[in-house]
Amino acid sequence: MTFFESVYYGLPNSWDQIVSVVFGLASVVFAARESILTYPTGLVAVVIAAYIYFTTQLYADFAIQIYYFVASVYGWVFWKKLDREDKGITVIKSLNEWLLYIFVTGASLAAFYFVLIYTDSTIPFYDSLVNAIFITGMILMALKRIESWLFWILGDIGSVFISEYKDLHYFTVQYMIFTLLAAWAWYNWHQKLNANVPINQNSVDRG
């Protein structure tokens, strides 16, 4: 059975993946527009994805959904604070800051891998690496660093291969689209940063 046949014939039994995908895509679109609605939509996707990852033995992905839940709540509060202070997109400003985020990624990778080698995970290193990248991306997103999208792009590409390896075909499609959306979001944020456009300029996007 081809990939597209798997997606089509698996439709009746994959509503949980589909709902998670829809809300996940909505969250990324809102994030690209710098809308605070990225967080409530993202929380719905996270809860459903956590259940799916646990039942498919992708424990690092399951664990990171818990982290995403907490980080999303924090990001929601922090973005509201930045809105009140009229602060927008920023960039990583120093080599030391880059080294800090590289260290966070490496430490997350080591922590995930140390745990996963004692589970029945079939791809502990790759699962750990992708989710370590996502952890750093989430931190940078909460701070509205434009570089967050570079981490999302890398993590999304890795997730395409992991999802397909685990026959999570709708998640494969989701991460393919996520990769394209993240590239568009990086470009969009870059344009707004250069134009010095305040975040959430459109009041419709405010939560």
Side-chain angles (χ1 to χ4, degrees):
M1 186 177 293
T2 68
F3 168 75
F4 294 103
E5 288 174 335
S6 298
V7 171
Y8 177 77
Y9 290 111
L11 191 63
N13 300 315
S14 303
W15 286 108
D16 51 355
Q17 289 186 55
I18 293 170
V19 173
S20 181
V21 166
V22 169
F23 277 91
L25 291 173
S27 179
V28 175
V29 171
F30 284 130
R33 297 178 59 202
E34 295 117 317
S35 168
I36 203 166
L37 291 176
T38 185
Y39 288 110
T41 52
L43 285 170
V44 174
V46 161
V47 171
I48 299 173
Y51 168 77
I52 295 171
Y53 283 132
F54 184 80
T55 57
T56 54
Q57 300 173 327
L58 286 170
Y59 299 119
D61 295 272
F62 167 74
I64 203 172
Q65 301 308 310
I66 299 174
Y67 165 78
Y68 282 163
F69 187 92
V70 175
S72 292
V73 173
Y74 169 79
W76 197 344
V77 174
F78 195 73
W79 274 36
K80 279 183 173 291
K81 178 177 181 292
L82 292 179
D83 285 349
R84 288 193 298 269
E85 297 173 356
D86 198 29
K87 293 182 179 178
I89 303 165
T90 56
V91 298
I92 296 176
K93 299 175 182 178
S94 68
L95 176 60
N96 286 340
E97 192 175 359
W98 267 114
L99 292 175
L100 172 63
Y101 293 124
I102 291 172
F103 172 79
V104 169
T105 306
S108 300
L109 167 61
F112 272 127
Y113 185 72
F114 178 77
V115 172
L116 291 188
I117 57 175
Y118 295 105
T119 72
D120 56 354
S121 173
T122 55
I123 47 173
F125 177 79
Y126 295 108
D127 198 11
S128 299
L129 176 60
V130 167
N131 286 288
I133 292 171
F134 280 146
I135 279 185
T136 306
M138 195 73 177
I139 293 171
L140 291 168
M141 175 66 70
L143 298 173
K144 291 183 183 174
R145 296 284 197 268
I146 195 171
E147 292 84 2
S148 64
W149 292 111
L150 300 179
F151 283 85
W152 288 121
I153 290 169
L154 290 175
D156 289 338
I157 291 172
S159 293
V160 168
F161 294 99
I162 289 178
S163 297
E164 189 59 18
Y165 173 77
K166 282 293 185 176
D167 294 325
L168 297 173
H169 302 301
Y170 295 97
F171 278 4
T172 301
V173 174
Q174 173 185 251
Y175 283 112
M176 287 178 177
I177 299 173
F178 276 176
T179 303
L180 298 176
L181 285 176
W184 166 65
W186 179 87
Y187 174 78
N188 193 39
W189 278 35
H190 185 73
Q191 293 293 103
K192 289 192 174 185
L193 180 65
N194 287 342
N196 196 28
V197 175
I199 201 158
N200 281 338
Q201 187 178 34
N202 189 339
S203 60
V204 174
D205 286 341
R206 292 184 184 274

